[in-house]
Amino acid sequence: MRLHRLRLTAFGPFGGAQSVDFDELSAAGLFLLHGPTGAGKTSVLDAVCYALYGAVPGARQSGQGQTLRSDHAAPATRTEVTLELTVAGRRLEVTRQPPWERPKKRGTGTTVEKAQSWLREYDAGAGAWKDLSRSHQEIGEEVGQLLGMSREQFCQVVLLPQGDFARFLRADAEARGRLLGRLFDTRRFADVEKRLAERRRTAETRVREADAALLADAHRMQQAAGDAMELPELSPGEPGLAEAVLSAAAVARSTAREQLTIARHGRLAAESAQAAADRDLSDVRELARLQRRFEEARERAAVLEERAGEHREAQARMERARKAEAVAPALELRESADAEHRAAADAEARARALLPERFAGDGAAGLAAAARRAAEDLGGLESARRGERRLAELAAERADLDRQERADDDVLTETEGWLADWDATRAELQRRIDSAQEAAAHAEQLAVRREPAGRRLDAARQRDRLARDTEEARRRALAAADRALQARTHWLDLKEQRLDGIAAELAATLKEGAPCAVCGATEHPAPARKDAGHIDREAEEEALAALQSAEQRRADTERDLGAVREALAGAVAEAGDTPTEQLAAEAAELDLEHARARRDASALHPAREELRRAEQEHQRRTAAQREAQVRAASRVGHRDRLERERASLEEELAQARGGAQSVAARIGHLERQAALLTEAADAVRAAEDAAARLKAADGRLDQAAFKAGFDTPQAAADALLDDAAHRELQRRLDARQAEETAVRAVLAEPETAAAAQRPPADLAAAREAADRAADRLRRAASAEDAAARRCEELDRLSARASDGVRRLGPLREEYDRVARMAGLTAGTSADNERKMRLESYVLAARLEQVAAAATARLQRMSSGRYTLVHSDDRTGRGRSGLGLHVVDAWTGRERDTATLSGGETFFASLALALGLADVVTDEAGGVRLDTLFIDEGFGSLDDQTLDEVLDVLDSLRERDRSVGIVSHVADLRRRIHARLEVVKDRTGSSVRQRVH
C-alpha cells in the first residue's frame, strides 16, 4: 500500500482546504511531520484512517460526525477527506464526508445531511477515473479486502501510535493478549473455545436430561411395584446410575411375577367355590318354583268349583242358540220379502201420482200399451229434430259469412290506402339513412382533428401560466439579488469597522506583567479603549450569517427562475404564438361540430331498422289484400247454397211441430209421457210380485219353527245370538275347559307333587351364599388383574429404561470426549500443564514471530546489546504463554522488559512495532506496506542512539518503504530534509510541505 495524495477540507483543526503530496515526501524515504503541540499533526493521520475505514483511531473514534468538523470552517463549507493510494496494483481514490449540520436553504435554523462516500479507480487505458461505488458498506468491504487488515490492525501497523508499544512492553499477559487478539484477529480460536464449552454444556445437559428421564422411569417403576423396589441414591449425571436402575428394575419384575402366580391360584379357587354356590342356588330356585306351581294349581281348582253353576247356564244358552240357527234362514227370507213388498207398494203409489187422471184405473197391461204408442210417435219425429238442428247451423253459417265479408272489406280499404303511400315512405327512409351515413363519416374526420387541438390548447394555457410565473420568479430573483448585495455591503462595513477597532479588543485581553501578543512588552501604559459604536466579533459573525443566508436565497430564486424559463420554452414550442382565446374558440367549435355530427350519425341504425320493418309491413299487407279478394269470390256461391237449403227445411218442420212451439218441445213432451207410463207399469208388476213372495215366506217360517221345537217363530228369533255374542259365549266355554285341563295336568305332575311334600325352599339363604362366593371371585380376579398390570407396566418401563440406557451410552461418550477437549482448550484440564488457553497458544506463536522480527532491528538500534525473546512461563497464579523478556548481552541475563530505561523502552518499542508490522503484513496476505508513520518518542534518545535508530528507519528504503516520523524534536529537522509542517493560527491550522 502506497499513499499518493491527501486532501482535507474543514477537518479537525484545518478550517479550509489543505493538500498533502505523499509522492513528493516519500521520494526521500524518511520525512518528518512536525509542528507545535495541538497544531494537528495527529489529525493528518486521523484523516488517512478516516478516508480508508470511515473512523478515526483509538479513543478519538467516539462521537464522530459533528466532532470531525473543524470549528474554524465557514458554515457553508462541508467537511471532506479525499485520499489517493495504490493497493494491490490498483490506484484508488476514496472520498468521505461525515454528517453535516448546515443552514437551511429556506427559512431559519439548520438541517443535518447524511454522510456520503465515493470510491473511484483510475483507468490507465482510458486515462480517466471511473466510479466504483457510493455505498458505505461496499466501500468498507472493498478497502478491507484489498488491505487485508481491520482498522485496529492498520492503526497498529501503519500508524504506529505514540506510547502504545511502550505500554505493550510493560503490560501483563492478559493486556498483551487483548492487543494481539485485535491485531491478529484470533477470535476464531476464541470462538473454538466457546464452541467447545457450549458443546460440553450441551452434552452435559443432554446426559443429565437422559439420566433424569431414566430416574423418572425408575420412580414410575417404584410406584408401579409398590414396596418391592428400592431406588439408587444417585443424582442425574453421576456414574453408575443406569446400572443401578436396571438392577433394581430386574428385582421388581421378579417380585411382581411371583405375586401374579399367587393371585392366579387364588382366582382359580374362588371360581370353583362360586360354581358350587351357583349350582346350590339353581336347585333351590327350582324347588321354590315347583312348590309355587302346585299351590297355584290348587287355588285355580277351587275357583273352578265355585263357578260351576254359571258354566252350566252358559252351556244351556249355547244349546238353544244352536237350535235357533236352523230357523235363521227362514227368518231372514221372511224379513227380506216383507221389506221388498213395502218398497214396491211405495214405488207404485209414487208412479201413479205422476200420470194423468185417465190412466188412474189402468193395470200394468194398459199402462204398457200406452207407453208403446208414445214411443211410436217419437220415432216419427226423430228426422224432424235433425232438420231443426241443421236449420240453426245454417243461420250460424250465414252470420259467419256476413262477419267475414265485413272484415275483408275493412282489410281491403286499409291496405289500399297504405299501399298508395308506400313509394313516398320508402324514399323518405332511404334519404334519412344516406344523411346519417354522411354524418358518421364527418364525425370520424372531426375526431382526428380534436386531439391535437386539445393538446395545443393545454400547452397554450400552460404557456400563459408559466409566463406569469416567469415574471414573478424574475421579480423574486431581482429582489433576492438586491438583498444579497445589501447584506454583503453591510458585512463589509462591519468588518472594516471591527478592523479599525481591533486594538481595543486586543487591549481587553492584556494582563499586568504579561507580554503583549503584538509587541511583547510587559508594560501597557496606554491601552486602547472601546468606543460607543464598537463592533465586536459576534456582530460581525451575525452579519456574515445574514450574508450567507441571503446568498443562499439568491441562488435558490435564480435556480427557480431557470426552471420556470425552461418549462416556458417547452410550452411555447408546443402551443406557438396563437392566443389562448382563439385556440379555445377553435377547440369549442370543433367539439360542437363533432357533437352535432355524432348526434346525426346516431340516427343511422334506427333509420335502417325502420326501413326493414316498413318493407316487412309492405309484404304482409300485399299478401293480406290477395287473400281477402280470394275469400270474397268464394263467399258468393256458398251464400246461394245456404239459402236454398234453408227454405226446404222450413217447409218440413212446419208440418212436424204440430201445435208445439218447436219439434224439440214436442219430442220432449212425448219422451216424458212414455217414460212415466213405462215406470208406472213396472211399479205395478213389482208390487204384485212382492206380495206373492211375502205370502210364501210366511208359510216356510212357520214350518221351520215347528221342526226346531219352538212354539212360535218369535221364540226362535229370541233364541238366536249375533256373531259377537256367540264368539264371547264360546270363548268363555273354551276358557273354562282349558283351565280345567291345565289344573288337572299340573296336579298330576310327579315332580311337582313330590316338591309339594318337601319343606319350603330357603331362597334368600342360597342367594346370600352365592353372592358371597361371587364377591370372593371378584376380589381374586381384581388382585390377579392388578398383578398382571403391574408386571406389564414394569416390563414396559424396563424396556423403555433399557432403550434409554442404550441411547445414553453414545451421549456419555460424546460428553467425555467434548469435556476433555474443552478443558484442554480452556486451560483448565490437568493434561494442560501450563494452563494455556487455545487463543493464548496461537497468540504466543504470533508473539514469538513478532519478537524474532523485532530483534533483528533492536540489535542494530542497541549496538547488539538487546534481544527480545518470548516466554511461556506462568506468572503467579495466572496462565502462561504471553511473556516477553529482553536478553542483555552485556550481562548475559534475561530480564523483564519493564526494567528498560525510557530511551531503551522507546527503541525497543519501535523495533517491536516494526517487527509487528512485518508479521501482520505477512498475516494479511503479503500486502506491501510502502508507507509507515511513527508517532513521537524520539525526544528520549541521545544523539548516538538517535543516529542508530534513524539508520534502521532509513534502511527500510531497501524494501521500497517510506517512513513518516511524527515529532516536534528540533534536532530531527536538521537530520531529515523532507518535512511536512503543520502551522496553527486563529483561523485554523494549515500545512507546509518542504523537500530540499
Side-chain angles (χ1 to χ4, degrees):
M1 180 197 74
R2 178 178 294 277
L3 303 183
H4 298 294
R5 185 172 289 102
L6 175 67
R7 291 188 294 275
L8 309 174
T9 303
F11 184 86
F14 304 101
Q18 304 294 326
S19 178
V20 178
D21 188 351
F22 286 111
D23 287 337
E24 184 179 16
L25 293 172
S26 300
L30 283 177
F31 62 90
L32 178 64
L33 176 59
H34 67 97
T37 301
K41 301 184 296 298
T42 305
S43 296
V44 175
L45 308 184
D46 290 347
V48 173
C49 184
Y50 178 73
L52 293 174
Y53 294 97
V56 296
R60 298 188 298 279
Q61 63 180 313
S62 60
Q64 291 185 30
Q66 301 298 331
T67 58
L68 294 180
R69 178 172 175 80
S70 175
D71 295 334
H72 303 285
T77 302
R78 179 156 191 176
T79 302
E80 182 178 273
V81 177
T82 301
L83 177 65
E84 292 184 29
L85 73 158
T86 298
V87 58
R90 299 170 61 184
R91 182 152 184 168
L92 304 175
E93 180 189 78
V94 185
T95 302
R96 293 188 186 270
Q97 294 178 348
W100 177 39
E101 185 176 2
R102 62 167 179 80
K104 292 183 177 179
K105 296 181 179 179
R106 292 183 176 86
T108 60
T110 60
T111 182
V112 177
E113 288 191 2
K114 297 180 179 179
Q116 298 186 22
S117 301
W118 293 270
L119 177 62
R120 301 195 303 171
E121 183 176 3
Y122 185 74
D123 188 351
W129 293 92
K130 64 177 181 179
D131 293 334
L132 295 182
S133 177
R134 292 176 64 92
S135 169
H136 302 301
Q137 182 177 359
E138 291 179 359
I139 294 174
E141 293 175 354
E142 181 71 15
V143 171
Q145 183 177 3
L146 290 174
L147 293 177
M149 290 182 286
S150 64
R151 179 174 58 84
E152 291 80 4
Q153 291 176 318
F154 180 83
C155 294
Q156 293 290 342
V157 173
V158 179
L159 310 179
L160 305 180
Q162 53 187 1
D164 279 6
F165 283 94
R167 287 191 297 272
F168 181 81
L169 284 174
R170 298 186 180 95
D172 57 10
E174 294 294 333
R176 288 196 187 105
R178 288 193 295 271
L179 176 60
L180 293 174
R182 290 195 303 271
L183 291 177
F184 292 104
D185 192 15
T186 57
R187 288 175 298 178
R188 60 186 183 277
F189 300 102
D191 291 341
V192 170
E193 295 178 21
K194 293 178 182 178
R195 176 59 178 165
L196 286 173
E198 291 175 359
R199 287 188 59 186
R200 180 187 60 76
R201 288 192 294 271
T202 301
E204 182 179 7
T205 301
R206 293 172 63 186
V207 169
R208 287 182 176 274
E209 289 176 352
D211 281 350
L214 183 61
L215 197 56
D217 288 339
H219 281 287
R220 295 188 185 95
M221 285 189 283
Q222 184 187 38
Q223 185 178 5
D227 298 332
M229 180 177 178
E230 294 182 1
L231 293 179
E233 297 180 358
L234 296 174
S235 301
E238 295 185 25
L241 176 63
E243 292 76 7
V245 168
L246 292 180
S247 177
V251 173
R253 289 198 306 274
S254 176
T255 303
R257 288 191 175 88
E258 291 177 359
Q259 293 175 352
L260 176 60
T261 302
I262 295 172
R264 184 175 293 115
H265 287 296
R267 177 185 57 78
L268 293 175
E271 286 180 351
S272 300
Q274 187 198 23
D278 288 343
R279 288 193 298 271
D280 293 342
L281 177 59
S282 177
D283 294 341
V284 172
R285 284 175 176 170
E286 181 63 18
L287 177 61
R289 185 186 68 80
L290 292 175
Q291 289 177 347
R292 285 197 307 275
R293 180 177 175 81
F294 184 81
E295 186 63 28
E296 290 172 358
R298 290 181 59 186
E299 292 175 357
R300 289 161 62 189
V303 171
L304 290 176
E305 185 62 27
E306 291 176 359
R307 297 177 181 177
E310 296 178 2
H311 178 61
R312 288 191 293 272
E313 291 178 0
Q315 287 179 332
R317 182 73 178 89
M318 180 59 74
E319 183 63 23
R320 287 196 303 273
R322 290 195 183 95
K323 291 179 180 180
E325 287 178 356
V327 187
L331 286 171
E332 293 176 357
L333 180 60
R334 201 275 173 188
E335 290 176 359
S336 176
D338 184 54
E340 289 178 358
H341 180 263
R342 287 195 300 271
D346 292 340
E348 179 183 3
R350 288 193 299 273
R352 285 186 180 278
L354 298 175
L355 294 176
E357 293 183 358
R358 66 175 181 272
F359 299 112
D362 293 347
L367 293 174
R372 284 195 297 274
R373 289 194 299 272
E376 291 175 356
D377 293 339
L378 282 173
L381 292 176
E382 183 62 31
S383 61
R385 181 163 54 184
R386 290 195 296 272
E388 192 173 41
R389 286 198 296 270
R390 176 57 182 163
L391 183 62
E393 292 174 358
L394 291 176
E397 290 182 8
R398 184 180 179 88
D400 185 56
L401 288 176
D402 293 340
R403 284 193 301 274
Q404 292 179 5
E405 184 175 5
R406 288 193 299 272
D408 288 342
D409 291 343
D410 293 341
V411 169
L412 289 174
T413 301
E414 182 184 2
T415 302
E416 289 174 357
W418 192 89
L419 292 176
D421 298 334
W422 164 244
D423 293 337
T425 301
R426 189 176 185 282
E428 175 61 20
L429 292 175
Q430 188 62 44
R431 183 193 64 75
R432 288 167 55 189
I433 292 173
D434 296 340
S435 177
Q437 289 177 340
E438 294 175 357
H442 186 51
E444 293 178 357
Q445 297 173 357
L446 292 175
V448 174
R449 295 168 53 192
R450 284 179 68 227
E451 184 176 356
R455 288 198 302 270
R456 191 177 179 190
L457 175 59
D458 294 339
R461 289 171 177 166
Q462 186 178 11
R463 176 197 63 196
D464 296 345
R465 178 178 57 78
L466 291 174
R468 294 190 296 272
D469 295 345
T470 301
E471 183 62 25
E472 179 64 25
R474 189 182 65 81
R475 287 195 298 270
R476 289 197 300 269
L478 291 176
D482 292 340
R483 288 192 293 272
L485 180 59
Q486 293 172 5
R488 180 173 293 277
T489 301
H490 179 63
W491 174 65
L492 292 175
D493 292 342
L494 292 181
K495 187 172 185 179
E496 184 177 0
Q497 295 177 26
R498 181 168 179 260
L499 292 176
D500 292 341
I502 195 68
E505 288 188 24
L506 294 174
T509 63
L510 293 176
K511 295 181 179 179
E512 189 66 28
C516 175
V518 178
C519 64
T522 57
E523 297 181 359
H524 317 295
R529 297 287 185 267
K530 294 182 180 179
D531 56 16
H534 177 73
I535 303 300
D536 56 7
R537 180 184 179 89
E538 182 179 357
E540 180 187 354
E541 290 179 350
E542 290 179 356
L544 178 59
L547 170 60
Q548 293 172 344
S549 177
E551 289 290 345
Q552 184 64 43
R553 286 194 293 273
R554 180 188 61 79
D556 293 342
T557 55
E558 289 180 354
R559 185 171 57 254
D560 295 342
L561 177 60
V564 173
R565 283 176 174 172
E566 183 178 355
L568 176 61
V572 170
E574 176 73 19
D577 298 331
T578 305
T580 305
E581 293 77 7
Q582 180 179 347
L583 293 176
E586 292 175 357
E589 181 63 26
L590 279 175
D591 292 341
L592 182 61
E593 187 175 357
H594 180 261
R596 285 197 300 268
R598 290 194 60 185
R599 184 176 62 254
D600 295 341
S602 64
L604 176 61
H605 181 70
R608 286 176 174 172
E609 287 295 317
E610 189 173 355
L611 176 60
R612 182 183 60 79
R613 290 194 298 270
E615 289 176 345
Q616 292 177 352
E617 182 65 17
H618 177 266
Q619 296 175 358
R620 186 185 66 78
R621 288 181 179 271
T622 302
Q625 184 183 33
R626 289 195 298 270
E627 292 173 358
Q629 291 173 352
V630 171
R631 288 195 299 272
S634 63
R635 277 195 301 272
V636 175
H638 190 197
R639 190 186 300 274
D640 293 340
R641 291 193 299 273
L642 292 177
E643 186 61 28
R644 289 193 297 270
E645 186 177 2
R646 185 192 63 77
S648 175
L649 288 174
E650 285 286 353
E651 183 177 355
E652 292 179 2
L653 292 176
Q655 296 177 0
R657 280 194 296 268
Q661 294 182 353
S662 65
V663 175
R666 186 178 179 190
I667 290 174
H669 175 70
L670 290 176
E671 287 177 347
R672 286 192 297 276
Q673 183 177 357
L676 290 174
L677 290 172
T678 302
E679 183 180 356
D682 294 340
V684 170
R685 284 196 292 269
E688 292 174 353
D689 294 341
R693 287 195 296 274
L694 179 59
K695 184 177 179 180
D698 287 338
R700 286 195 292 273
L701 178 58
D702 292 341
Q703 185 178 3
F706 177 76
K707 288 182 178 180
F710 293 100
D711 297 336
T712 62
Q714 185 61 39
D718 294 339
L720 281 175
L721 296 173
D722 57 16
D723 291 341
H726 187 275
R727 285 194 299 273
E728 176 62 21
L729 182 59
Q730 186 63 45
R731 185 194 63 77
R732 289 166 53 193
L733 293 174
D734 293 342
R736 168 70 184 221
Q737 184 178 0
E739 181 69 8
E740 291 176 350
T741 304
V743 168
R744 287 194 297 269
V746 170
L747 295 176
E749 292 176 353
E751 62 274 12
T752 303
Q757 301 300 320
R758 296 177 61 184
D762 191 355
L763 186 60
R767 186 178 293 112
E768 184 178 357
D771 291 341
R772 288 195 300 270
D775 183 62
R776 286 194 298 272
L777 177 59
R778 282 193 298 271
R779 290 197 301 271
S782 298
E784 181 186 10
D785 185 60
R789 287 197 304 271
R790 185 182 303 111
C791 290
E792 181 180 355
E793 182 68 10
L794 289 174
D795 290 341
R796 184 182 67 82
L797 292 174
S798 298
R800 191 164 75 175
S802 299
D803 292 340
V805 170
R806 284 194 295 273
R807 290 192 300 270
L808 180 60
L811 294 179
R812 186 168 290 280
E813 292 177 2
E814 180 184 2
Y815 168 69
D816 294 340
R817 183 174 62 256
V818 172
R820 181 173 177 274
M821 291 296 295
L824 284 173
T825 57
T828 59
S829 173
D831 298 333
N832 192 337
E833 297 178 356
R834 297 186 179 275
K835 304 299 182 182
M836 185 183 297
R837 294 171 46 240
L838 176 62
E839 184 181 15
S840 299
Y841 179 78
V842 175
L843 292 177
R846 292 288 186 265
L847 182 59
E848 191 172 355
Q849 295 174 355
V850 171
T855 297
R857 294 184 176 87
L858 179 59
Q859 288 180 344
R860 291 183 58 186
M861 294 179 186
S862 63
S863 300
R865 179 180 180 182
Y866 295 116
T867 301
L868 284 175
V869 294
H870 162 252
S871 173
D872 55 4
D873 294 335
R874 298 178 60 182
T875 57
R877 299 182 63 184
R879 297 180 182 179
S880 61
L882 297 179
L884 191 63
H885 292 172
V886 62
V887 178
D888 190 346
W890 290 3
T891 62
R893 301 288 297 275
E894 180 179 330
R895 54 193 173 96
D896 193 270
T897 54
T899 61
L900 294 173
S901 65
E904 292 171 341
T905 299
F906 169 72
F907 62 69
S909 301
L910 180 60
L912 185 64
L914 294 175
L916 181 64
D918 292 339
V919 174
V920 173
T921 300
D922 296 337
E923 178 72 14
V927 176
R928 287 180 53 83
L929 301 178
D930 299 321
T931 305
L932 298 177
F933 293 92
I934 301 175
D935 193 356
E936 281 300 347
F938 292 88
S940 61
L941 304 178
D942 55 32
D943 292 341
Q944 180 181 356
T945 306
L946 179 61
D947 289 337
E948 293 175 351
V949 170
L950 292 179
D951 289 341
V952 172
L953 295 178
D954 191 56
S955 67
L956 295 177
R957 288 186 296 176
E958 298 174 1
R959 301 179 63 179
D960 197 18
R961 284 182 176 177
S962 61
V963 179
I965 298 176
V966 183
S967 178
H968 49 67
V969 176
D971 192 38
L972 289 176
R973 302 174 196 170
R974 179 181 56 80
R975 297 169 181 266
I976 301 175
H977 301 291
R979 299 194 298 272
L980 179 65
E981 181 180 6
V982 182
V983 182
K984 66 177 181 179
D985 57 22
R986 291 180 177 272
T987 60
S989 298
S990 60
V991 297
R992 298 173 184 173
Q993 187 168 324
R994 296 184 182 136
V995 180
H996 56 77

